[in-house]
Amino acid sequence: MAEQVKERDASQGAPAKAAPGAPAPAGGSAGASGRGAARSARGSTSRGIRHVTQPITQTIGHATGRVAQRTEGVWRPVAGVLHWVSPLGWTILALGLVTWFVGARWGWTELLMVAAAALVLFLVCFVLALGRTKVRVVAEVDPRRVVVGEPATGRIVVTNEARAPMLPILVELPVGLSAARFVLPALTPGHAHEELFVVPTSRRGVIQVGPATTVQGDPLGLMRRTLTWTERTELFVHPRTVALESLGAGLLRDLEGSTTEDVSMSDLAFHALREYQPGDDRRYIHWRSSAKAGRLLVRQFLDTRRSHVTVVVDPDPEQYRSGHGRTGRTERDVERDVMAANAPTAIQADVETAISVGASIMVRVMLDEQDCTMVCGEQKVSRSVPQVGLDAMARVEPGPIDLFSVSLDATDLAPDTSTVFIVTGPHRPFIELQRAAGQFPPEVTRVIVVVDPAAEHGIRRGGGLTILTLSALEDLRSLLFTGVAR
């Protein structure tokens, strides 16, 4: 009986042996479940460790922040002094300390002499960087707004306001990507020194001038202590523009027009009465008021106008002939143009012409006292003055855009547009131009200006668009007068 129980227990607990030639039993599911359990255990352990250590980390971080805030008056001056040391200064200091340690360790007298020389040099340079600089620095650029190619000059005046004479110091004034450096002579108390500088304006853009800083240190450059004295000034280099004839496009005088501040003798919006002057139209004499006043009075009106011109400029270099992406030009050709003398934007030459075209139209529209909306890349200006519009055009950065989205933005800014100009290059597909112009109402006059130096200027119409092709900025005046102005 006991033997039977043992055999039954053995048959239940021990795995059965496979018969010869029979397939082996599948054991993958058991292994997979074991590995999954192991990963689950490890994940639970990691979560548990993070759960325990996160409060400790947060507590340490808060405590460190509070300590740093309370001791700011101690470590901030020290950090400022350490900031004086240049990489060369840190190298000399490290050389002195290492040679001192090695020389003292093995009794090497020569290394001790090198260490003493390095440490003394570092200390002397540090002493030269000490001292209080008390000056007044004035940095000016005149004029603040110029056109590409026009001269722009600036001056910097440094006055010693200390009671003691000032040793020669270096003054640095960043101008765009470069910096102007002036070595000031020794100045007695109350005396000033003036330096002039020229700002290059060969490219359109916004040039950052300043802030002016004084550099105090040693002749070897181990220490460099800089102090800032002025704010940053912006110099706007506007695109070139050409004088255009009055467009007259979309100018109406009717009941739906909006009144302006321009006084007129013939319109619909009555403004006031004034005394008759020789040459006034007698039809506008207000006889009843004249009889009461005992002198002739005439009606005076305000101009009512409904005109809004929208200008959209395509700043994508790839859409123009000077762009290298779709014109078959190699990278070597582009590099040669970029490295040419004073031609860092050779591949963007046609983009600059397009920006000048848009700026010229915008200025003419604003001089005609019509509303104007300008959209070029990220820059958007609506119902402004020429100076603000040209400042925005100076900030334009060439780059790819979605012309359809830009047109939607223009319609949002100017839903009452009467004429729209889209300035682009010959590589922009015509279907994209149609889609962009189609965002404006059907009654809007749609003009496409194509900048193509290799084509002859001309005018053609199709698909509800008036297409003007110009090869140079100087052709814009005749093309607009012939194809648009009325």
Side-chain angles (χ1 to χ4, degrees):
M1 186 69 180
E3 293 180 355
Q4 294 179 356
V5 171
K6 290 181 180 180
E7 291 179 357
R8 186 169 57 250
D9 293 340
S11 63
Q12 292 178 356
K17 295 184 180 180
S29 59
S33 61
R35 288 194 297 270
R39 284 197 298 269
S40 177
R42 287 196 298 269
S44 302
T45 304
S46 301
R47 286 193 296 270
I49 293 174
R50 287 197 300 269
H51 182 72
V52 173
T53 58
Q54 186 175 4
I56 299 176
T57 305
Q58 292 179 352
T59 303
I60 294 176
H62 293 326
T64 305
R66 287 195 298 268
V67 172
Q69 186 176 6
R70 292 178 181 178
T71 60
E72 184 177 3
V74 177
W75 62 263
R76 185 171 292 277
V78 176
V81 172
L82 295 179
H83 188 67
W84 298 355
V85 185
S86 66
L88 178 59
W90 287 116
T91 303
I92 296 297
L93 179 60
L95 176 64
L97 295 177
V98 171
T99 53
W100 182 278
F101 174 78
V102 174
R105 175 78 174 178
W106 285 280
W108 199 339
T109 307
E110 290 80 358
L111 286 182
L112 292 176
M113 295 177 62
V114 172
L119 295 178
V120 169
L121 177 62
F122 183 87
L123 182 61
V124 171
C125 293
F126 180 77
V127 172
L128 290 177
L130 294 175
R132 184 178 180 183
T133 304
K134 189 176 182 181
V135 296
R136 183 175 73 253
V137 181
V138 178
E140 298 177 346
V141 179
D142 185 45
R144 291 277 305 278
R145 292 171 173 84
V146 297
V147 181
V148 173
E150 290 185 355
T153 59
R155 71 186 188 105
I156 182 169
V157 182
V158 182
T159 306
N160 182 13
E161 294 187 339
R163 297 181 180 179
M166 184 180 67
L167 296 176
I169 59 174
L170 176 65
V171 178
E172 292 184 351
L173 182 68
V175 180
L177 299 178
S178 60
R181 293 177 173 85
F182 312 99
V183 179
L184 300 182
L187 295 178
T188 57
H191 284 71
H193 180 77
E194 180 178 356
E195 291 281 354
L196 301 178
F197 59 92
V198 178
V199 182
T201 59
S202 59
R203 299 174 56 186
R204 174 196 57 83
V206 181
I207 301 176
Q208 305 290 339
V209 180
T213 58
T214 57
V215 181
Q216 187 176 352
D218 60 278
L220 300 178
L222 273 67
M223 299 289 170
R224 180 183 172 88
R225 179 187 177 191
T226 60
L227 297 175
T228 303
W229 299 96
T230 62
E231 300 293 335
R232 182 178 285 108
T233 304
E234 291 183 334
L235 171 63
F236 292 91
V237 182
H238 292 163
R240 290 196 309 118
T241 58
V242 293
L244 304 177
E245 298 290 342
S246 178
L247 300 178
L251 179 59
L252 300 175
R253 294 187 178 186
D254 57 9
L255 291 173
E256 297 180 0
S258 57
T259 60
T260 69
E261 296 181 357
D262 300 331
V263 178
S264 173
M265 290 304 300
S266 175
D267 213 309
L268 297 173
F270 176 78
H271 175 54
L273 295 174
R274 66 167 176 82
E275 190 171 357
Y276 176 85
Q277 296 178 0
D280 290 341
D281 194 338
R282 295 184 181 180
R283 294 178 301 173
Y284 298 109
I285 297 177
H286 198 275
W287 296 106
R288 183 174 299 178
S289 300
S290 300
K292 293 181 180 180
R295 62 184 186 278
L296 292 178
L297 299 176
V298 296
R299 297 181 182 90
Q300 205 171 30
F301 303 88
L302 290 176
D303 278 345
T304 57
R305 298 179 180 177
R306 186 185 67 188
S307 179
H308 197 137
V309 177
T310 299
V311 182
V312 179
V313 180
D314 185 358
D316 186 0
E318 297 293 339
Q319 310 305 326
Y320 296 86
R321 193 168 295 276
S322 63
H324 64 282
R326 303 182 184 177
T327 56
R329 299 177 62 191
T330 63
E331 294 295 334
R332 180 173 297 179
D333 295 333
V334 175
E335 184 179 358
R336 184 181 64 250
D337 288 344
V338 172
M339 297 303 294
N342 199 23
T345 56
I347 61 177
Q348 301 170 0
D350 293 348
V351 178
E352 297 300 324
T353 302
I355 292 175
S356 296
V357 168
S360 301
I361 298 174
M362 176 192 65
V363 172
R364 179 68 262 179
V365 171
M366 292 182 179
L367 290 179
D368 289 340
E369 299 180 353
Q370 303 178 26
D371 292 333
C372 183
T373 295
M374 188 78 175
V375 180
C376 183
E378 298 295 331
Q379 302 300 320
K380 303 172 185 178
V381 178
S382 184
R383 294 179 175 89
S384 186
V385 295
Q387 178 175 298
V388 176
L390 290 175
D391 288 351
M393 297 302 290
R395 297 184 184 274
V396 172
E397 294 291 340
I401 63 167
D402 184 357
L403 191 60
F404 182 78
S405 300
V406 171
S407 299
L408 289 178
D409 295 339
T411 55
D412 292 339
L413 289 174
D416 57 342
T417 296
S418 55
T419 302
V420 59
F421 291 88
I422 300 179
V423 186
T424 184
H427 295 158
R428 178 69 70 177
F430 183 74
I431 186 64
E432 294 185 12
L433 298 177
Q434 282 187 317
R435 290 184 60 204
Q439 305 310 307
F440 296 89
E443 65 273 9
V444 175
T445 303
R446 308 164 191 176
V447 182
I448 308 297
V449 182
V450 178
V451 178
D452 189 358
E456 295 183 359
H457 65 277
I459 303 172
R460 56 191 177 96
R461 292 177 172 84
L465 305 176
T466 300
I467 303 175
L468 310 180
T469 303
L470 58 87
S471 57
L473 179 62
E474 290 72 20
D475 300 332
L476 180 62
R477 181 175 182 179
S478 59
L479 285 176
L480 289 181
F481 182 78
T482 305
V484 179
R486 61 179 184 269

